[in-house]
Amino acid sequence: MSDSNEMPSFKSYQDQANLFVKDYILADSLIPYTSVIGGILACKLIYDLTHLIGTNYFKTYSSFSKIQRIEWNNRSVSTIHSIFITTMSLYLVFCSNLFSDNQSTDPITVRNSSLSTFALGVSVGYFIFDLAMILWFFPSLGGYEYVVHHLFSLVAVAYSMLSGEGQLYTYMVLISETTTPGVNLRWYLDVAGMKRSKAYLINGVVIFLAWMVARILLFVYMFYHVYLHFDQVERMHIIGQILVIIVPMVLSVMNLVWFAKIVKGLRKTLAKRQ
């Protein structure tokens, strides 16, 4: 008899929890805020788990300096974020019908969904977390170029999330995060003393190819897409127009500068092996 009474009670609590999630946490008007908070908390959780796993299961982790351990943990956060946001970006840009020219008469510059807004919110949470880490430990985790990169990215992604404008182009730019795991792996190999390994060489080649596709060619495609749909871009708020055009241009210049360094480093590594 007690079991039969507990079942409806549990079902009632479950229904109330589902209603709370639907009406409050995932309500359209609250998604930007809950997703940002969720993104920050997820970053902190990944950071702490990385520290816990490294301390208990990797002997080399304990031999690192304090700042190396901090950077190790922080790079784990950026790797997980890059996998998440790259997956979401590829799906929304190329697989879903949200931004398809044939699926809606609405301008592509104002199309958005609960899912696209949620993913941007998580990314905003990550950029806030990572920027805070960079500034707190400045310049150990990155110099001024990283601060500029994160500030531009944070402002552009946050505006797109809150206004719903330009989400297609925001996701096109965020696909460039696909290069992050390779860059982080290169740092891991470096601190592990594996600069002369075959894995280090292969990693350099993969970074070169990924960077060229995701941060050079993709940006060219994005600017071409903006050109083809410029009549719709002109209907955006002036702030949105600036962020769609100026921010990718600044990031493109930074990507070209970093690409030159990647090419130089790869040539140097290949020369040592000859």
Side-chain angles (χ1 to χ4, degrees):
M1 191 70 181
S2 61
D3 290 341
S4 61
N5 289 332
E6 288 176 3
M7 286 299 292
S9 178
F10 174 77
K11 184 70 167 58
S12 176
Y13 282 124
Q14 187 180 37
D15 291 341
Q16 291 179 29
N18 291 335
L19 190 64
F20 175 77
V21 171
K22 180 180 179 181
D23 291 348
Y24 293 96
I25 297 179
L26 294 182
D28 288 347
S29 60
L30 295 178
I31 282 179
Y33 310 104
T34 55
S35 58
V36 171
I37 295 172
I40 295 173
L41 294 177
C43 289
K44 183 64 170 65
L45 177 62
I46 295 167
Y47 184 94
D48 291 341
L49 283 175
T50 303
H51 175 72
L52 182 65
I53 294 171
T55 302
N56 292 294
Y57 297 100
F58 293 95
K59 294 181 179 179
T60 54
Y61 183 85
S62 300
S63 65
F64 294 154
S65 64
K66 179 181 178 182
I67 195 64
Q68 282 181 322
R69 290 195 297 270
I70 291 171
E71 185 161 4
W72 180 288
N73 301 339
N74 205 52
R75 284 181 180 272
S76 294
V77 176
S78 65
T79 297
I80 298 300
H81 166 261
S82 67
I83 294 172
F84 166 77
I85 201 62
T86 298
T87 302
M88 294 302 302
S89 299
L90 290 172
Y91 168 73
L92 289 168
V93 173
F94 298 112
C95 300
S96 75
N97 294 322
L98 180 60
F99 301 114
S100 174
D101 287 329
N102 302 321
Q103 295 298 320
S104 175
T105 57
D106 294 332
I108 58 170
T109 50
V110 297
R111 294 185 204 170
N112 59 82
S113 67
S114 297
L115 178 62
S116 65
T117 300
F118 173 82
L120 290 179
V122 173
S123 197
V124 169
Y126 160 73
F127 281 116
I128 291 174
F129 178 89
D130 203 41
L131 182 59
M133 292 292 292
I134 292 173
L135 294 174
W136 187 262
F137 295 101
F138 189 84
S140 299
L141 299 182
Y144 288 108
E145 68 274 17
Y146 286 92
V147 175
V148 172
H149 173 273
H150 276 46
L151 282 174
F152 272 97
S153 299
L154 177 58
V155 171
V157 176
Y159 175 83
S160 185
M161 173 194 67
L162 293 170
S163 68
E165 286 191 334
Q167 289 196 1
L168 170 62
Y169 299 121
T170 302
Y171 276 112
M172 282 187 178
V173 172
L174 286 172
I175 292 175
S176 64
E177 286 292 309
T178 192
T179 61
T180 300
V183 173
N184 287 342
L185 178 59
R186 193 166 190 78
W187 183 88
Y188 291 140
L189 293 171
D190 190 1
V191 297
M194 299 176 64
K195 290 189 70 171
R196 295 186 177 276
S197 66
K198 190 174 182 179
Y200 193 82
L201 175 61
I202 294 174
N203 172 261
V205 174
V206 171
I207 290 176
F208 168 79
L209 295 174
W211 200 280
M212 184 170 60
V213 173
R215 291 185 180 261
I216 306 297
L217 298 180
L218 183 62
F219 273 66
V220 173
Y221 171 75
M222 193 212 75
F223 286 125
Y224 178 66
H225 196 282
V226 170
Y227 170 75
L228 292 179
H229 299 82
F230 195 70
D231 59 320
Q232 298 181 35
V233 174
E234 286 183 311
R235 301 181 206 172
M236 296 173 63
H237 190 279
I238 185 63
I239 297 177
Q241 294 182 41
I242 291 173
L243 293 177
V244 163
I245 299 172
I246 302 300
V247 171
M249 288 180 64
V250 173
L251 295 179
S252 294
V253 172
M254 298 180 72
N255 287 336
L256 287 171
V257 172
W258 284 327
F259 187 63
K261 293 181 179 180
I262 291 170
V263 173
K264 183 179 179 180
L266 183 59
R267 292 176 62 182
K268 187 177 178 181
T269 300
L270 292 173
K272 288 181 178 179
R273 290 184 166 270
Q274 293 178 350

